[in-house]
Amino acid sequence: YSMLNTEVTQKLYTSVMGSNPSYYKGDNNPVEKVSWYDAIYFCNKLSKKLGCTPVYAVDGKTDVATWNYTPHNGNSIRGKVTQNTKANGFRLPTEEDWEYAARGGQGYTYSGSNNLDEVGWYEDNSRGRTHPVAQKKPNGYGLYDMSGNVCEWCWDIDPRDSYYRYGRGGSYYGSDYSCEVGFRDDRDADDQDYNLGFRIVCFASN
């Protein structure tokens, strides 16, 4: 798979969705205040915009216009959400995808370093807000901000309750511990917190 080397920015998100729900505004800042449902909605819209096959379906339908869902309203998508792993469109990473990428072929505690200040925005250096992407050192795969800035949604369902999905990477108001590569956080799928964003992946082109 190929992964976007930064978190989805507000500029990219707005170009696809037509609106920007973020609290800390900035074209190159990561989009935040997006729920897991908002993120998969974005993925299908971006796929369609670029002529790719959408990955996600609700009750078998990939057209977001049929989902009866309004982004950024704090509600949930009603219906069974499935993903077509053979589609060439954009999707959220699985936890396995995310952690493999975040490790960057290296053995560091954080993504790209054992010194979090080198690679991530977190509670001790962020001044309580997000920052433009790609300002810190990348990891071994050239990926930025996989520790800190915003917590990134993954596809995976919490086996204890299908309402919960996992976020990875910590955030600008998280502790250093929450920014470790192996840390995971389960969140309500309709949560639209100030520290929740995402990163997208797709099949690698040969």
Side-chain angles (χ1 to χ4, degrees):
Y1 61 94
S2 292
M3 175 177 277
L4 190 66
N5 69 343
T6 69
E7 294 155 336
V8 171
T9 63
Q10 294 174 34
K11 183 177 181 179
L12 173 58
Y13 191 87
T14 304
S15 73
V16 174
M17 300 287 277
S19 61
N20 178 9
S22 303
Y23 182 78
Y24 299 107
K25 293 290 196 292
D27 279 353
N28 292 321
N29 285 41
V31 69
E32 18 94 359
K33 295 191 68 180
V34 290
S35 70
W36 185 88
Y37 298 112
D38 296 335
I40 67 168
Y41 189 103
F42 167 91
C43 286
N44 271 29
K45 286 203 72 170
L46 178 61
S47 296
K48 185 176 180 180
K49 182 175 182 177
L50 297 182
C52 301
T53 302
V55 170
Y56 299 113
V58 175
D59 293 333
K61 298 176 180 178
T62 61
D63 184 354
V64 296
T66 68
W67 290 4
N68 193 30
Y69 177 74
T70 303
H72 316 139
N73 278 3
N75 55 330
S76 304
I77 291 176
R78 303 302 178 187
K80 184 178 181 180
V81 180
T82 56
Q83 64 172 349
N84 175 7
T85 58
K86 296 181 179 179
N88 67 349
F90 298 92
R91 62 177 176 84
L92 297 176
T94 64
E95 281 201 283
E96 183 179 9
D97 294 336
W98 191 94
E99 187 163 329
Y100 179 86
R103 291 194 181 279
Q106 302 163 310
Y108 296 127
T109 301
Y110 310 105
S111 183
S113 179
N114 285 326
N115 179 357
L116 183 52
D117 286 295
E118 290 184 344
V119 295
W121 300 106
Y122 68 114
E123 64 179 1
D124 286 357
N125 66 9
S126 70
R127 303 187 304 279
R129 58 164 299 135
T130 62
H131 291 263
V133 299
Q135 299 297 298
K136 295 285 189 175
K137 175 184 169 184
N139 75 1
Y141 292 154
L143 303 171
Y144 296 89
D145 298 302
M146 295 201 77
S147 290
N149 221 2
V150 291
C151 183
E152 301 178 16
W153 286 113
C154 292
W155 159 257
D156 303 69
I157 302 168
D158 187 327
R160 297 168 298 177
D161 189 331
S162 62
Y163 183 63
Y164 295 100
R165 303 284 171 155
Y166 287 109
R168 302 295 296 263
S171 74
Y172 68 90
Y173 70 58
S175 66
D176 53 356
Y177 174 71
S178 70
C179 294
E180 293 182 6
V181 170
F183 183 83
R184 66 201 312 218
D185 187 17
D186 58 345
R187 308 291 291 260
D188 295 356
D190 62 5
D191 192 355
Q192 295 176 314
D193 203 349
Y194 297 101
N195 75 331
L196 279 171
F198 64 107
R199 187 182 305 253
I200 53 176
V201 302
C202 66
F203 276 127
S205 57
N206 297 321

